[in-house]
Amino acid sequence: MANPCPAWRRLYLAVFSVTTLLALSDTSDTGPHACRCMPQDPCWPEDHQWARFNKTVDGNLIATVPIASVCHIDSFTPYDQSQCAQLQSTWGFPETHYESSSSIMAPIFTNLSCNAFSSKTSPCTIGNYVQYTVNATDVAHVRKTINFAARHNLRLVIRNTGHDLLGKSTGAGGLAIWMHYMKDISIVDYDSSAYSGKAMKMGAGVQSFEASDAAHTAGLVIVGGNCPTVGLTGGYSQGGGHGQLVSHVGLAADQVLEWEVILANGKLVTASPTNHPDLYWALSGGGGGTYGVVVSMTSKAYPELPTASGNLTFSDTGISRDTFFAAVAMFVSILPSIGDAGGTSIWWLSNTTLSTTPTTIPGGTSTLFNSLFKPLIAFFEQNKIQYTYYVNDFPAYYDAYQTMSPPINITDQLPGGRLLPRSVVEQNLPDLNTIFRNIVETNAGFLISGVMVNSSRVSYPENSVNPAWRVALVNVVIGAPFDYTDWDGNFARKQLITDELMPLLEELTPGGGAYLNEPDPNQRDWQQVFYGDNYDRLLEIKRRYDPHNRLYGFKAVGSEAWTVSENGRLCKSESY
Ligand SMILES: Cc1cc2nc3c(=O)[nH]c(=O)nc-3n(C[C@H](O)[C@H](O)[C@H](O)COP(=O)(O)OP(=O)(O)OC[C@H]3O[C@@H](n4cnc5c(N)ncnc54)[C@H](O)[C@@H]3O)c2cc1C
Ligand SMILES: *[C@@H]1O[C@H](CO)[C@@H](O)[C@H](O)[C@H]1NC(C)=O
Ligand SMILES: *[C@@H]1O[C@H](CO)[C@@H](O)[C@H](O)[C@H]1NC(C)=O
Ligand SMILES: *[C@@H]1O[C@H](CO)[C@@H](O)[C@H](O)[C@H]1NC(C)=O
Ligand SMILES: *[C@@H]1O[C@H](CO)[C@@H](O)[C@H](O)[C@H]1NC(C)=O
Ligand SMILES: *[C@@H]1O[C@H](CO)[C@@H](O)[C@H](O)[C@H]1NC(C)=O
Ligand SMILES: *[C@@H]1O[C@H](CO)[C@@H](O)[C@H](O)[C@H]1NC(C)=O
Ligand SMILES: *[C@@H]1O[C@H](CO)[C@@H](O)[C@H](O)[C@H]1NC(C)=O
């Protein structure tokens, strides 16, 4: 048995190549619907079928043109130097991507197939971008698109703003339903056994800034992102959703009273604590893009309130490295008390600087704010640390947010995230601080971004938010620079995060979790880390509402049923 018989081996190789050839000649199938169809396949719809489909969606079908096509000599649009320069200068703005029918904001998931920063002669292909997008403006468009994708065995993608850091709103060979223009907003007086009071009903395309503008006009506030452009109803609220009101009233997912959803079978249902409670539970925290297509969300709204907000920056200029990191530890040590006061703190740490932009206490005053920062400021004075500090009382949360939150670019960084339990901050700050220092000293440009919120300060409904959130004090995200002209370098940095930096945070937080919207895409044991003990129940619900697996998202619940091959093709995993 030690020496395999050479004849058998030849036979095995022969069989292997025949099956390989078969697989290549009929790529779509080794069983019924084993793979989704791709444009080069015989099963891909003919032009006349696309044209007929287009009529059924009122002419809203868009054939994809990669936005960076203007930077290349290709078959899409003519090369245009000034348009390309314009695109390069606005690439970092979220608008550039969410106003497009196919572009996404996480560059690693574009495979740089049409790169705005490469030479004009380098190729521009659709690659991982979707092939077609339906600009959906009503329920019928959504339903027709689900049906067409099912009939032709196409990869179906739900696209809202394209913010997703796991590339879940794109996919090779995809047909996307684009929810961006479903923008209805209304303020309602909600009355159910769970809640009586003001609420906002918003269409699937409503973005954070639009909801907060509408709320403010009505004298209300609503939980939205620190980033104003995320889609509230999409991956943001469905995945948890943090922002500056969270310690005051809870996560975005905790605010949801009901979802209107089109299921994979085309049926429109309302999911609430009393109607399809399983689906309501799953959609409220269990991640976007996999249980159904949400067409509207109704969430709690709260009275406007005076708010204290401030910023603080200090650096290592003129002090020792040890003193700088002692100040970092001092900053981290005051975070629990800010959370206890109903405040949140958005901060980042580089090799040489720590900055909080901003720290906000809805309902708080600058007097309270100053008292919380007092020990830190005293430490700065004692140790001759250079710093800037600013705090103000704002008549409304809205004003604080508008004034104190700097504009946010797309995340052209490679991320790795972990939810830090409060117990680690309180009991193991020296080790935590050493790890922070190791991370930012690893390589030039490595950052740590922190979002301190207390998502369990007020009572929250039973939903599928990762239980790790409820004991977490800070969502920590490592950011490594992404270089549009050095793909191999990006891969090396990505691997460094997964193999060396994430394990530091993981060892410090055994059994802990990560925020599914801001994680390391290579996260090991992701089912447990992203979803906690909710995973099995989420998977059951996914199978109940999408029994034919129409919806797929990278590391979304149920995604282990699929494998993505090198060319982006989506195929059923062998064990399924
Ligand atoms: C610059 C930037 C800033 C960010 N800031 C914050 C922040 O302050 N707080 C925070 O919590 N997160 C933040 N995030 C993470 C954000 O929550 C996620 O990127 C989230 O996925 C965005 O949701 P979206 O619907 O806007 O994006 P998309 O990329 O369009 O969609 C995200 C996921 O949701 C699915 N989806 C979208 N719409 C629907 C729908 N109608 N029905 C069903 N599934 C749908 C998509 O298929 C995809 O799986 C930020 C991300 C970026 C890039
Ligand atoms: C769909 O129809 C509209 C209106 O006729 C047209 O403008 C658009 O180009 C068509 N889309 C595709 C992909 O052909
Ligand atoms: C944000 O994006 C804009 C447009 O691409 C760019 O000019 C600017 O430098 C970016 N800012 C940061 C901090 O990355
Ligand atoms: C991604 O890029 C690699 C290398 O260029 C290529 O082999 C692969 O087919 C690409 N994938 C997609 C989906 O375009
Ligand atoms: C999508 O539809 C909206 C609403 O009808 C329209 O304003 C917008 O221009 C359309 N976008 C594209 C790219 O077709
Ligand atoms: C702090 O906020 C004030 C008021 O918005 C602003 O003028 C200042 O530039 C900010 N400082 C830092 C370091 O961000
Ligand atoms: C970090 O900063 C120190 C002091 O400013 C510098 O000597 C060191 O090279 C920096 N390291 C990295 C990785 O940027
Ligand atoms: C959140 O606030 C509650 C109530 O004040 C407190 O008991 C809990 O420890 C806090 N949790 C975190 C993670 O800060």
Side-chain angles (χ1 to χ4, degrees), residues 87-93 117 408-410 412:
L87 180 68
Q88 286 172 343
S89 73
T90 56
W91 189 263
F93 300 140
F117 303 94
I408 293 189
N409 274 10
I410 66 167
D412 52 358

Side-chain angles (χ1 to χ4, degrees), residues 391-562:
V391 58
N392 200 3
D393 287 299
F394 295 88
Y397 170 79
Y398 184 82
D399 303 319
Y401 179 79
Q402 297 292 324
T403 311
M404 298 305 296
S405 300
I408 293 189
N409 274 10
I410 66 167
T411 311
D412 52 358
Q413 276 167 343
L414 299 159
R418 193 79 176 171
L419 290 164
L420 273 187
R422 179 175 178 139
S423 57
V424 167
V425 174
E426 288 182 334
Q427 292 155 27
N428 205 356
L429 187 52
D431 285 347
L432 175 62
N433 199 39
T434 303
I435 291 169
F436 283 172
R437 182 169 179 171
N438 284 342
I439 291 170
V440 295
E441 286 184 345
T442 298
N443 260 319
F446 276 48
L447 295 175
I448 287 175
S449 100
V451 172
M452 185 286 290
V453 298
N454 181 344
S455 67
S456 57
R457 187 171 164 272
V458 296
S459 67
Y460 50 90
E462 210 216 313
N463 60 27
S464 59
V465 167
N466 187 345
W469 260 116
R470 305 302 180 187
V471 294
L473 184 71
V474 187
N475 178 40
V476 163
V477 181
I478 301 168
F482 181 88
D483 184 337
Y484 284 90
T485 58
D486 177 14
W487 187 254
D488 293 343
N490 293 327
F491 253 82
R493 284 186 291 279
K494 191 169 164 217
Q495 226 42 57
L496 182 68
I497 290 176
T498 305
D499 295 340
E500 291 179 34
L501 304 183
M502 285 304 300
L504 300 174
L505 290 169
E506 288 165 357
E507 274 164 36
L508 187 72
T509 58
Y515 179 25
L516 65 90
N517 276 335
E518 295 176 337
D520 173 7
N522 290 337
Q523 179 66 54
R524 280 175 280 249
D525 194 19
W526 57 268
Q527 290 91 340
Q528 180 66 30
V529 174
F530 294 176
Y531 305 91
D533 290 344
N534 291 333
Y535 194 78
D536 291 346
R537 188 172 163 207
L538 286 168
L539 185 57
E540 238 175 72
I541 295 169
K542 156 74 174 173
R543 288 179 173 153
R544 195 174 308 146
Y545 284 93
D546 183 18
H548 303 296
N549 251 315
R550 297 306 319 162
L551 294 164
Y552 163 85
F554 180 74
K555 290 188 166 56
V557 169
S559 60
E560 56 284 83
W562 299 93

Side-chain angles (χ1 to χ4, degrees), residues 92 94 98 103-106 156-170 177-180 182 203-208 224-244 246 251-252 259-262 283 287-296 346 401 408-412 451 469 475 515-518 551-554 556:
Y98 69 69
S103 193
I104 59 161
M105 299 183 209
L156 181 65
V157 171
I158 311 170
R159 169 185 174 76
N160 187 20
T161 62
H163 272 88
D164 200 89
L165 291 170
L166 294 182
K168 290 193 289 185
S169 38
T170 194
I177 316 177
W178 191 21
M179 309 305 287
H180 182 58
M182 296 185 74
V206 170
Q207 290 170 276
S208 192
N226 187 48
C227 169
T229 57
V230 292
L232 271 203
T233 297
Y236 170 80
S237 292
Q238 291 177 46
H242 64 65
Q244 294 175 38
V246 169
L251 292 166
W259 305 92
E260 281 186 302
V261 196
I262 303 187
L283 283 168
T290 192
Y291 312 101
V293 183
V294 168
V295 291
S296 84
I346 319 290
Y401 179 79
I408 293 189
N409 274 10
I410 66 167
T411 311
D412 52 358
V451 172
W469 260 116
N475 178 40
Y515 179 25
L516 65 90
N517 276 335
E518 295 176 337
L551 294 164
Y552 163 85
F554 180 74

